[in-house]
Amino acid sequence: MTQENQNPIPEQENLAAESNTENSTTATETPAVKTPEQEIAELNQKVSDLQDNFLRAKAEAENIRRRAVEDIAKAHKFAIESFAEHLVPVTDSLYAALSTDAGDAKAFKEGLEITLKQLLAAFEKGRMTEINPSVGDKFDPHHHQAIASVPSEQDANTVVSVLQRGYTVADRVLRPALVTVSAPK
């Protein structure tokens, strides 16, 4: 061995002495070493707690899923409720018209026009709009259904007549308007 290896450097001696004092204070502050049985018991307790938390979280997730399914079912079942509330006064007006013995056709027609206005207002409140193209409008296959193609003086593929009005609900076509279109020349 060389001289350097046999005699440690004074700085190293100081560091070694400091680490020895730290170790002695730490040993007195830390609790006694646990036995393997104590460690096993603690780990089993932690596993038990984690299993319990897992089961609770799983049950909560299942409850949330079940409530969501019920909410969706209720939404489907009662989605039409607000629209139906707007239609009830129209039904009342129709029953009132049928129960009267008015012989005047003009008064009966006026009553029907008022009832039709009520119905259209109910459609508007339910976000339902009418598709009623004018004669000469360009045929739109997204909103119109052509029943026939007839010779006409109009441009090709334009509406000649409307056989039945169509309807949309919130920009989705419920029923396209039935139309006849002009044939190509």
Side-chain angles (χ1 to χ4, degrees), residues 108-134:
F108 188 72
K109 183 179 178 184
E110 287 176 1
L112 283 179
E113 288 173 349
I114 291 170
T115 304
L116 179 61
K117 286 180 184 178
Q118 281 182 319
L119 181 62
L120 293 176
F123 283 175
E124 186 177 320
K125 289 175 185 173
R127 297 178 13 183
M128 186 170 163
T129 57
E130 211 174 50
I131 302 172
N132 187 18
S134 300

Side-chain angles (χ1 to χ4, degrees), residues 148-165:
S149 179
V150 295
S152 173
E153 297 297 319
Q154 298 176 354
D155 294 336
N157 292 325
T158 57
V159 175
V160 174
S161 66
V162 178
L163 304 172
Q164 190 177 56
R165 295 174 184 191

Side-chain angles (χ1 to χ4, degrees), residues 78-97:
F78 299 111
I80 197 163
E81 183 177 6
S82 67
F83 184 63
E85 287 174 354
H86 300 302
L87 290 179
V88 170
V90 177
T91 306
D92 294 340
S93 295
L94 289 172
Y95 280 125

